[in-house]
Amino acid sequence: MTARIIDGKQVAADMRAELKEKVAQLKDKGVTPGLAVVLVGEDPASKSYVTAKERACEEIGIYSDDNRLPAETTEGDLLALIDKLNKDPKINGILVQLPLPKHIDEDNVLLAIDPAKDVDGFHPVNVGKMVVGQDAYLPCTPHGVIQLLLRSNVKLEGAEVVVVGRSNIVGKPVANMLIQKAATGNATVTVCHTRTKNMAEHVKRADIIIAAAGWPNTITADMVKDGAVVIDVGVNRVEDATKKRGYRLAGDVDFEAVKEKASLITPVPGGVGPMTITMLLYNTVQSAEKTLH
Ligand code: NAP
């Protein structure tokens, strides 16, 4: 069997078109969704993520409020900015690009964001609501994974899912979403990590594999059941002398071999990646919609 490729770019484009429509409807009602993006310092990767997020906002009509601060900004000054954005009615969502410079305590900053504007879904209030199944902003990458599965008509109810990775931003939340008693869940979930014994034995049982370990070739073809659905969250730089920049991007899955066994598989790049920003836009629109009620 050769797997069908889940085209994350296409799913993301479809969702962004739907969101653009919602933004137009909100504007007709006098509400322009606003996202404040906060970047501290000059990290080139962070700068390019922030630029991509701002561009995505503009494309669908979300007002983006750009806050670029020097690396020497104090924690106090950053907290003061967040307080101002929390109170600003034009702003429905606040995104602080991580990592922050070492002299700033990330936890203090994330806790300072009003949970009602926490469109990254990292505030403990939103994490707690997600776990107990209440309405919450869902973290963007794991929510993007769920949307890719649902929009590819993958049946989650009763499925055996193995998640590889237990980070707070991917592994734990995606596992949590998948066990919820809801149409977006109802799966049976196993979470593997570096202390798991015989990881291959767990992965071999999976109808759906979600790889979020951060190492190339963590999932090899011998670990994959025929017909499994494989979602590769990993983004890793692999040395490649044939490329001008000296490296290429690879996921956590041995894509070429695994695609011969899987029924559906996401590529890297072009799978989960485009969904992350899309879900940020989704949460910002959701936040703006709440101001109407
Ligand atoms: P992380 O914080 O480094 O967590 C990695 C997790 O994987 C840890 O729980 C670790 O276990 C586990 N792990 C590592 N190697 C393993 C192995 N060989 N076997 C089993 N478990 C293993 O990483 P993250 O932030 O979750 O990100 C994971 C990957 O997704 C990275 O490549 C990252 O770049 C990518 N990512 C992509 C997007 C996107 O938008 N596409 C967004 C976020 C992250 P321990 O807990 O035991 O250490």
Side-chain angles (χ1 to χ4, degrees):
M1 171 184 285
T2 300
R4 187 158 63 81
I5 307 293
I6 298 179
D7 183 349
K9 279 191 206 156
Q10 187 57 53
V11 178
D14 293 346
M15 286 197 78
R16 289 184 198 195
E18 292 163 21
L19 288 168
K20 193 172 181 175
E21 187 63 31
K22 280 194 175 182
V23 171
Q25 288 166 7
L26 279 164
K27 285 185 174 172
D28 284 346
K29 292 175 184 156
V31 175
T32 298
L35 175 70
V37 180
V38 181
L39 172 65
V40 184
E42 300 288 329
D43 177 60
S46 294
K47 271 174 143 174
S48 74
Y49 290 141
V50 160
T51 304
K53 287 168 187 176
E54 290 175 340
R55 197 174 301 139
C57 282
E58 277 160 32
E59 273 167 21
I60 68 157
I62 292 178
Y63 159 66
S64 120
D65 178 44
D66 182 72
N67 299 271
R68 298 192 187 214
L69 308 175
E72 56 276 13
T73 300
T74 64
E75 187 173 315
D77 284 346
L78 180 56
L79 292 174
L81 172 64
I82 289 173
D83 185 49
K84 187 174 85 110
L85 296 170
N86 281 341
K87 290 173 181 150
D88 185 342
K90 292 194 302 299
I91 300 302
N92 304 103
I94 301 170
L95 176 137
V96 177
Q97 185 64 44
L98 301 178
L100 289 167
K102 288 200 169 33
H103 64 279
I104 299 178
D105 184 329
E106 273 180 15
D107 287 343
N108 282 348
V109 172
L110 295 182
L111 272 173
I113 297 172
D114 179 350
K117 296 188 178 186
D118 167 42
V119 287
D120 251 341
F122 291 158
H123 193 291
V125 166
N126 282 313
V127 176
K129 284 183 171 180
M130 173 189 71
V131 171
V132 296
Q134 289 178 11
D135 183 31
Y137 296 116
L138 299 174
C140 300
T141 301
H143 192 193
V145 168
I146 306 278
Q147 287 298 323
L148 279 182
L149 289 167
L150 292 175
R151 287 169 183 255
S152 306
N153 297 316
V154 175
K155 192 167 177 257
L156 298 179
E157 185 171 325
E160 290 275 350
V161 181
V162 173
V163 177
V164 180
R166 57 173 166 183
S167 74
N168 289 339
I169 64 163
V170 189
K172 277 184 205 160
V174 84
N176 247 295
M177 288 176 210
L178 286 164
I179 56 166
Q180 294 297 324
K181 200 165 184 173
T184 50
N186 285 327
T188 302
V189 180
T190 302
V191 180
C192 297
H193 43 76
T194 58
R195 309 297 163 93
T196 300
K197 289 182 193 157
N198 299 324
M199 188 172 81
E201 295 308 313
H202 293 287
V203 178
K204 270 182 205 164
R205 281 202 320 271
D207 303 313
I208 302 170
I209 300 164
I210 300 174
W215 292 99
N217 295 325
T218 304
I219 306 297
T220 49
D222 56 309
M223 298 162 84
V224 176
K225 181 169 91 173
D226 279 331
V229 174
V230 180
I231 305 290
D232 193 351
V233 185
V235 181
N236 308 297
R237 284 184 180 191
V238 177
E239 270 185 43
D240 187 340
T242 68
K243 303 280 176 202
K244 217 172 160 189
R245 55 188 179 183
Y247 68 88
R248 65 187 159 82
L249 292 182
D252 290 351
V253 174
D254 178 3
F255 181 82
E256 289 305 323
V258 170
K259 83 174 183 344
E260 299 306 323
K261 286 184 95 178
S263 58
L264 280 170
I265 190 167
T266 58
V268 178
V272 175
M275 294 301 289
T276 298
I277 295 183
T278 305
M279 301 323 294
L280 175 73
L281 304 175
Y282 177 94
N283 283 348
T284 306
V285 171
Q286 223 193 358
S287 176
E289 282 176 335
K290 284 183 184 159
T291 64
L292 293 174
H293 306 305

